[in-house]
Structures are given as structure tokens and as C-alpha cells.
Amino acid sequence: MSTVFGDLKFAARTLGRSPGFAATAILTLALGIGAATALFSAVNALLLRPLPFPRPDRLFFGLALREGFDPFGTSLLEYAAYKENAASLASTGLSQARSFQIAEQGEPERLSGAAVSADYLETVGVAPLLGRRFAPEEDRPGGPNVVLLSHGLWQRRFGADRSAIGRSIHLDGSSFTVIGVLPQGFDLPYGAEVWVPLRVHIPALSLAERTTHGYDLVARLAPGATRDRADSELKAIASRLERDFPEIRRGWSYTLVEARAELLGDFDGRTRRSLAILTLAVAFLLVICCANVANLLLVRGIARESEMAIRISLGAGRGRLLRQLLTESLLLAVLGGAAGILVANWTLPLLSALNPIRAVSMAAFLTDFHIDRRALLASVLVTMAAGLSAGILPAWRAARLRNLSARVGPRQQPAGGGGRSRVPISALVVGEIAISTALLFGGSLMLRSFQRLQKTDLGFRPERVLTMQLPLSRQKYADHARRAAFEQELLARVRALPGVVSAGMTTNLPLDPVSLDSVYVVEGRPNMNPASVPITGHRLVSPGYLETLGVTLEAGRLFDERDRADTLPTAVVSREFARQAWPGESPLGKRIRRELPGYPDTPWLTVAGVVGDTKEDRFNYRIDRPVWYLPYAQQPLPLPVELPLNLAVRVAGDAAGVAAALRGAVRAVDPAQPIMGVANLDERLAEVLLPERFGAVLMGALAAIGLLLAGIGLYGLLAFSVRQRIPEIGVRIAMGARPRDVAWLVMGRGLALLGTGLALGLLAARILTHWLSSSLYRVSAADPLTLAAVGVTLTAVSMAACYLPARRASRVDPMEALRS
């Protein structure tokens, strides 16, 4: 132990005599270790940290799959079949997203909530902080009105008073008794703040109600069961349902997803792939940092060869030297790691604020980025690995010195000045260039992909459109006629406001998180693909909405005052809808209808107009999906989910002033109506591309840092080479070499290293772009334009790095060089 402390003291004194070298190495390592620690902390929170449930690895959520890929909620028909027949499931629970209006003094507030079965919370494994769960008798039709509160709502409405249990709270005009408070941070499903009993008696429901995909299933595996086995079992039951109900179950399957994927909404694995790509990019950056420090240590080791030779001559073993030099590199790494943790601590709040991954539930837990024990251990391991990887080559080379007598003479040219001594340094520089090439290529592809996404034709004009969400009370507006009357009266007031160009309403704004779809039937035309289910985006809109949105009318007309509840039902369809339903034909005047289980006589809708394709579906942003628009007044049929009305207003002047007037118009129609989500439409759309923007910017930043470090490494190598070759350069100049020739001698070496690194980097880029290909939009993973831009950028940076050493070499005084 005393030897170890002695090595540490000697290493500290040695580094103290070279403060510039030590500071450069420590800051370089701090950059790489800090970036790695910060990103690992984020990955740890999002993907690795155990969820706050008992045995989260046994907890899964169910998804109904349309034609094997399009995820939907669970129907009551499926739930009953799985609960009764799935032996792989120990327990199951069911929930349905709801919203509730609190009847309190002040501004009306709309709360996100859920109706859950009595066994839902038990299946998840959550016990109330105060009170109790729902009892089975409370989950039956006609049961008492009881409610569970979130921890945040309990603090906000009851001041964290423990006597709140047993008190009443008014939701949607009804009184509910508070029976419990759930733990802090729990908001499953979908950010719920209040929970009420589901109270569904499935056998008493109609087929239409039982087949609506408006619920969410949670399941806990039975002892000994695996996810694959349970998934296969549910798929087999789904196949039996398809055989029993061929008209309504054709093309449907089922699957189980991990709890974390459900909470993050990461059903297609895109979040995991994005984080894996960023992790690989940070690992590349860390390797570049370690290579730079290794180069510094190699150059410093060459300068210390005389010292090492004397120590070996005095009896120091080569193993002893190796240990001492590794101690120095590890000390540098420890100091760099400590600084890196500080960098990570400064970076994490920014990373958390910019984090594009918005959890569907449990956001407080999943986006709590901090350096916990797991992240700290990872940082320590990265620090040790960085110290060893940066120091092993210089230490090994110093410990293998030969020809000791030639290295101790005071007037001898250091042996390191020869070409052999520059080989390890050159190899490291080539490696840095190769890795920075891969980083720069990947970052450039993501930036180009993001630019293409930004320029995607939305099919409408979002600028100067103000939106407002109006969740209507289930009790006050229980029937469709009342909702339609509210819509018409509000629109009449809004259109009369100064500054309003046009206004309309819809059940779904473009690219909302929730997208309503419907199955449709074309009159007189069989399904083109019998194995598929014709699905369309389902939008109920008022007259004036499509004009407000700025869609392009391609044929026919848009909705107007003729499309009332007592007139012929009509529809406006998108170009993609028309292409799929009537390929090569005009859809105007043709008829379609909604296929709804339990409603065999849904009305036929006459196509009145065709509009251009619009980006309506957030989760299918990169493709054109079919969509139909139906008049709100003509649609009394039930919807599978509770949707608010959304007001869209195109303004001519100040949006803030119009927003205040809109609030007044809503209050004039219904003083108790909650108002939510007031925002410009283009601001809403910016959220859609937030993950792509974040990934592109972060990858671009990492690529830029890697490029800078590679340029610094190349500059350092050439500057060292020039310094070591001053006598040789002096002889060349004395023999008649021109300054231009000497400069090109240095530049040629740098460009040779660049060419080698660039070739290797393109091979490494193939690894990175293989992962990137699924995330790119209309950009090839082997895009030649990006490849050319990367080559030009690297060449420009390398030429700049070569210029100063070449300039210095061309100005060597031959007399001074020969005297040295």
C-alpha cells in the first residue's frame, strides 16, 4: 500500500510540473466522461432503472393489433376471453381513460382520470398511500360513487390533509367519496389524477359496446410463465375470436408489451433505437477523447525517454515503470472523471428540459435524470476504462525502451524523433479521424433527414391558426344534440369577433396524440384485399373547419350550412382515401359508410368533396394515411373514446388578444366550461418533430466535437513531427529545398493520415448508418451528397490543422537547425 501511495505522490508531482499538459488531458477526459455519464443517467432513467412496482418484469400491457402492426386498445370482448382462458396470466385489470370536471369555486378545471376495474391496481401492484383500493362490490353497476386521488391532487385540493379520506369531491356534477390517496408519482393510465370504478357488466352489453377498442388491459404473468408463452396464448385466443366473429374480428391479433414500453408509448421500439444510436455516438466521442489523451501521453513519454532510460539503468524493473506510468494515467482519469461528473451534473438539467421523450404515464419517475448509484458506478467504470485505454500504449512503449545509452546523452537527438516512434501516434490519429468520420456522417444524415421532415407537405397551413380544447361535461352534454347546439352557438359568437378570419371545430386537431380511426365499407365494391381491414382516420368537423385549416380542395365542395342533421349525410375524403377506395375513378357522388359492430344500418355517406392529403396521424407522420371528414351535426353514433371539441381559429392580427376574446365567447355560452390547451397550431406541430430535432442536434453536436478533437489530434501530431525533424528540415533547406517543398512535405503526411482515416471511417459509418436507416426520412443511408459533404468538411478541417505546422516547417532557419 505504501508503494501505491508513493506512486500516487510521484505522479501528482510529475503532473504538477506540467500544468498545461495536465489541464489539457483532464479537460479532454472530462468532456468524454461527462457526456457519457450524462447520457447514461438519461438512459438509466428511461430504460434501466427498475419501475416502482413489485416484480415489474412480470407486468405487461395488452395491445390489439390491426393486421399485425397498427396498435389499438383492448375491447371488452377480448378482455373477457383473455381473463377466462389465458392460463399464463395470474391476474388482469382493465382501465378506460376519462376526464372529469371539478365543480369548485374559481376557474373550472378539467382533470385527467380513469375508470378502472377493482383488480387493476392490485395487478399493477400499487397500494394506496392513504385509505384503500376499490372493493369488488364498488365495481358493479349501481355501486357507490367512490374515488381515489393522486398525491398531487390531494396536496393541491386538500392541502395534504390526512382527514381527506371520507370527504366528498364533486366530479361532473356528482358527489364522490374519497376512499384513498395513491403514492406520489403514480398516474397510470395516461397521467390520471382521479380514479373511479369501471363498473362494467360485460354480458349485459351490446355487441357494439363489447367490440369497441376503448380500454387498456394490464396483466401480471403467472408463476413460471414467460412473456413469449403468454403472448402466443393470447394470439391463439384472438384467432378463435376471429373465427367466431369473422365480420368484426377479421385482421385483428393481440400482443403483450413490456410495462416500460407502455409507459413511454414506445410500441415500435423507436425510442430504444434512438437512445442506442446516441449511446454509440457518445461512446465514439469518448474513444476520440481517450485517443487524444493517449497521444498526449505518447508525446510526453518520448520527451521523458532520457528519464526512463536513467531509471532503468539504475535498476528499476520494466514492470515497475509500467505500473508507475499507468498510475499517472489513472490519476489523470480520476481527475478527469471527477470533472466529468461535474460536467454531467451541469448538463443533466438541460438534458432533462430538452428531453423529447414524453412518458405517457409515470413521467416524474421516468424523466428524473440524476446520477444515482448505478450511474455513479458506470461513471467510475468508464473513468477506469478511459485511464487504462489512454495510458496502456504509452506506458507499454516506455517500459520497452532499448538502446539505453543512446537516450541519455545530452546532445543526442531523441530516438523518438524517428519514424518508428511516430507510428503509434499516427495510428491513434488515424483512429480519431475514422471515428469522427463515422460520427460526422451519421450526424449529417440525421440533420438532412430532419430537414426533409421539416419540409414535408402537411396538406394545410398551420401559421396564424389559434387552437383551444373544450372538454364537454358528460352529464351536461350527454346527448349529441346538446353538443352540436353548443358548437353552433360558440362558432356564431367566435366568427363575429374582430380579428377572426374564419373558425371551425373538430374532434381531432392534426397530429394530436389520440387519433380516432374507423372501418369503412364502399358501396358496390368488394374489399380490394380480403385479408386487410379498410381503415380511415375519422374526423368530425364543423362547416368552416377545413377552410380554417387551409386544406386544398381538389374536387367537389367542402361542408357548409347545407350539411345539417336533417339533410343527406355527406363526407369529404382525402386523396389517399379516394385512391384506395376508387382507384382511377372520381369519388364524387359515390357512397361509403362506417362499419360499426352492433349497428348494421349505419347511414350511407355521399362523397361531396376530395381534399389533398393532410398529416392527421402523429404516429404515421411519415406516410399519407386515408382520412374522411364528416359533419359533426350528422354523427350521433357513439365514439370509441371520449373526445373533446377543438376550436380552430384563423386570426388576422395579434393572437394573444384574440385568445382573450375567445375565452370570453366560451364563457358567454357556458360559464362553467373548462378551457384547455390554448396554443398556436404551429407550436403544437413543433412538438411532433421534437424527438427528431433533439436527435439531430445532439448527433450534430457530438460530430462537431469529435471533428474538432480529431483536428486537434492531427495538428498535435504534425506539430510534434516538425519539432522532432527540425535538424532534418534544416539540412533539406541547406541543400536547396524550397519552403513550398518543405510545407508540402508536412501537408502530404497530414493528408495521407486523413485519407487512411477517411477510408476506415466510411467502413465504421456503415455500422452506425445500419442502425440509423430505420430512423431516416427520405434520405439514403449511403447518400452520396452527404458523403461528399463529409469528405469536404474533413478535408477542410484537416488542411487547417496541417497549415500551421507546415508553415512553421517552411520557416525553419537552416543555421539554427544545424546548430541544434
Side-chain angles (χ1 to χ4, degrees):
M1 187 61 68
S2 61
T3 305
V4 173
F5 284 127
D7 288 345
L8 286 173
K9 289 180 181 179
F10 183 78
R13 287 198 305 270
T14 303
L15 295 177
R17 289 194 293 267
S18 305
F21 159 78
T24 303
I26 289 170
L27 290 176
T28 302
L29 287 172
L31 178 65
I33 294 172
T37 302
L39 186 63
F40 179 82
S41 298
V43 173
N44 179 43
L46 290 166
L47 300 182
L48 302 178
R49 186 185 300 154
L51 296 173
F53 310 131
R55 295 298 306 275
D57 58 311
R58 311 290 293 171
L59 188 66
F60 291 87
F61 288 79
L63 284 179
L65 298 177
R66 182 184 68 87
E67 298 172 6
F69 67 92
D70 212 354
F72 281 75
T74 302
S75 68
L76 295 174
L77 180 69
E78 291 168 319
Y79 172 69
Y82 301 148
K83 187 176 181 65
E84 181 178 352
N85 301 306
S88 299
L89 305 181
S91 63
T92 58
L94 201 64
S95 69
Q96 185 181 44
R98 299 272 181 87
S99 64
F100 301 91
Q101 181 176 332
I102 290 188
E104 303 282 349
Q105 294 182 351
E107 184 79 9
E109 183 180 3
R110 198 72 181 175
L111 299 176
S112 296
V116 299
S117 61
D119 48 6
Y120 181 86
L121 296 175
E122 183 178 358
T123 300
V124 175
V126 172
L129 183 68
L130 297 175
R132 61 176 177 83
R133 300 186 182 112
F134 297 127
E137 57 272 15
E138 293 168 336
D139 191 30
R140 295 170 185 154
N145 284 347
V146 291
V147 64
L148 290 167
L149 306 181
S150 70
H151 188 273
L153 184 63
W154 173 58
Q155 288 185 319
R156 191 167 73 248
R157 290 284 176 174
F158 293 96
D161 186 356
R162 300 178 71 88
S163 65
I165 305 301
R167 291 166 63 179
S168 294
I169 186 171
H170 288 83
L171 303 173
D172 283 342
S174 300
S175 179
F176 286 76
T177 302
V178 178
I179 64 168
V181 176
L182 294 181
Q184 185 174 5
F186 183 81
D187 61 355
L188 197 66
Y190 303 114
E193 292 188 274
V194 292
W195 293 261
V196 299
L198 185 60
R199 295 196 296 209
V200 170
H201 184 54
I202 297 177
L205 300 178
S206 67
L207 182 62
E209 293 170 311
R210 284 186 288 141
T211 54
T212 298
H213 291 268
Y215 301 85
D216 294 284
L217 179 142
V218 61
R220 190 167 286 276
L221 297 184
T226 63
R227 184 263 177 195
D228 291 341
R229 187 176 116 194
D231 192 72
S232 299
E233 188 175 18
L234 295 186
K235 281 181 168 58
I237 297 173
S239 296
R240 291 203 296 270
L241 289 176
E242 186 175 13
R243 291 194 298 270
D244 294 341
F245 302 92
E247 293 301 318
I248 59 176
R249 292 290 303 171
R250 176 169 47 88
W252 289 92
S253 183
Y254 206 80
T255 191
L256 291 175
V257 298
E258 296 177 354
R260 196 176 296 270
E262 167 75 16
L263 300 181
L264 292 173
D266 187 31
F267 304 131
D268 59 357
R270 182 170 295 178
T271 297
R272 290 178 181 269
R273 287 195 299 272
S274 299
L275 289 173
I277 291 168
L278 291 177
T279 301
L280 183 61
V282 169
F284 280 179
L285 179 65
L286 183 61
V287 170
I288 294 176
C289 292
C290 291
N292 255 350
V293 173
N295 262 339
L296 289 173
L297 290 171
L298 276 171
V299 172
R300 190 164 181 267
I302 291 171
R304 295 175 64 188
E305 283 181 352
S306 182
E307 172 198 339
M308 297 296 111
I310 292 173
R311 295 182 67 185
I312 294 174
S313 299
L314 292 176
R318 299 184 187 276
R320 183 72 181 82
L321 285 182
L322 181 65
R323 189 177 69 189
Q324 175 61 53
L325 293 173
L326 283 178
T327 300
E328 290 182 19
S329 66
L330 286 173
L331 179 59
L332 281 174
V334 168
L335 295 174
I341 290 176
L342 292 178
V343 171
N345 266 324
W346 296 333
T347 305
L348 278 175
L350 179 62
L351 193 63
S352 180
L354 297 178
N355 172 36
I357 302 172
R358 298 290 180 249
V360 177
S361 299
M362 304 297 293
F365 176 83
L366 290 170
T367 58
D368 179 19
F369 297 170
H370 66 275
I371 302 177
D372 57 11
R373 286 181 297 178
R374 188 194 299 258
L376 187 60
L377 176 60
S379 180
V380 170
L381 293 176
V382 167
T383 298
M384 294 299 104
L388 289 174
S389 60
I392 189 66
L393 180 59
W396 177 79
R397 186 184 180 283
R400 286 175 51 86
L401 286 178
R402 296 290 186 269
N403 193 19
L404 301 181
S405 61
R407 300 173 189 270
V408 296
R411 301 293 297 173
Q412 296 295 323
Q413 169 67 24
R420 181 179 298 179
S421 67
R422 294 194 299 269
V423 170
I425 305 176
S426 300
L428 288 172
V429 169
V430 167
E432 289 183 56
I433 294 173
I435 294 174
S436 65
T437 299
L439 268 180
L440 190 60
F441 189 60
S444 300
L445 286 176
M446 291 188 69
L447 284 170
R448 289 204 66 202
S449 174
F450 174 65
Q451 289 172 347
R452 293 283 179 89
L453 280 168
Q454 278 189 310
K455 295 177 180 178
T456 297
D457 183 14
L458 298 172
F460 56 90
R461 295 180 288 109
E463 64 279 359
R464 309 193 72 79
V465 175
L466 189 64
T467 62
M468 177 182 291
Q469 193 177 89
L470 303 170
L472 301 183
S473 168
R474 296 166 65 93
Q475 277 68 36
K476 185 182 293 187
Y477 300 97
D479 60 85
H480 187 76
R482 292 183 183 180
R483 290 173 173 255
F486 171 86
E487 172 210 48
Q488 293 167 8
E489 184 179 354
L490 179 59
L491 282 177
R493 291 179 178 272
V494 168
R495 288 167 179 160
L497 294 175
V500 172
V501 177
S502 61
M505 283 194 173
T506 178
T507 50
N508 286 86
L509 288 168
L511 304 173
D512 263 357
V514 177
S515 179
L516 177 61
D517 290 344
S518 287
V519 178
Y520 67 90
V521 177
V522 179
E523 184 181 35
R525 184 184 295 276
N527 186 12
M528 300 291 289
N529 182 3
S532 68
V533 182
I535 294 284
T536 179
H538 187 110
R539 303 293 182 263
L540 305 182
V541 303
S542 72
Y545 169 74
L546 294 174
E547 293 91 332
T548 300
L549 204 60
V551 301
T552 302
L553 178 65
E554 297 188 346
R557 67 174 180 89
L558 301 178
F559 299 129
D560 54 31
E561 301 306 322
R562 290 172 288 180
D563 301 297
R564 303 186 306 275
D566 58 349
T567 61
L568 181 70
T570 56
V572 172
V573 301
S574 69
R575 183 193 311 130
E576 180 64 17
F577 187 107
R579 186 191 68 79
Q580 292 187 18
W582 301 280
E585 301 178 21
S586 171
L588 296 180
K590 304 279 181 35
R591 298 206 305 174
I592 48 178
R593 68 178 178 87
R594 180 182 175 194
E595 187 175 75
L596 191 63
Y599 293 89
D601 298 324
T602 54
W604 287 101
L605 312 172
T606 301
V607 177
V610 179
V611 296
D613 289 322
T614 58
K615 299 297 183 183
E616 289 278 356
D617 189 343
R618 173 176 296 209
F619 300 103
N620 291 278
Y621 181 81
R622 302 180 180 216
I623 62 174
D624 292 324
R625 291 198 67 205
V627 59
W628 67 14
Y629 302 92
L630 311 178
Y632 190 83
Q634 295 181 349
Q635 298 301 313
L637 294 178
L639 298 175
V641 293
E642 179 185 353
L643 293 175
L645 279 174
N646 293 277
L647 176 64
V649 179
R650 184 168 292 278
V651 300
D654 178 33
V658 175
L662 291 178
R663 290 179 181 273
V666 174
R667 295 284 177 263
V669 178
D670 184 350
Q673 174 59 46
I675 299 173
M676 301 171 60
V678 180
N680 293 321
L681 185 56
D682 49 4
E683 293 175 1
R684 287 176 174 268
L685 299 181
E687 299 177 1
V688 178
L689 295 180
L690 191 59
E692 283 81 4
R693 179 185 291 108
F694 179 81
V697 170
L698 189 55
M699 276 288 291
L702 292 174
I705 294 172
L707 181 63
L708 177 63
L709 290 174
I712 292 173
L714 181 59
Y715 165 79
L717 169 62
L718 295 179
F720 166 70
S721 177
V722 168
R723 187 168 61 250
Q724 294 295 311
R725 298 175 66 184
I726 283 178
E728 173 198 339
I729 293 172
V731 171
R732 288 177 179 270
I733 294 176
M735 296 292 291
R738 293 172 297 177
R740 183 176 59 187
D741 299 327
V742 174
W744 274 110
L745 179 69
V746 177
M747 293 287 289
R749 176 167 175 75
L751 294 178
L753 294 175
L754 169 66
T756 306
L758 191 59
L760 294 175
L762 293 178
L763 294 177
R766 293 300 300 166
I767 301 174
L768 189 60
T769 53
H770 175 72
W771 288 28
L772 281 175
S773 57
S774 61
S775 302
L776 299 177
Y777 178 70
R778 295 183 179 176
V779 177
S780 169
D783 182 55
L785 184 61
T786 304
L787 187 62
V790 168
V792 170
T793 303
L794 273 169
T795 302
V797 171
S798 299
M799 293 286 284
C802 296
Y803 172 73
L804 289 177
R807 184 169 176 267
R808 182 186 176 192
S810 67
R811 296 187 175 185
V812 168
D813 184 346
M815 296 306 298
E816 292 292 332
L818 291 175
R819 277 199 296 269
S820 68

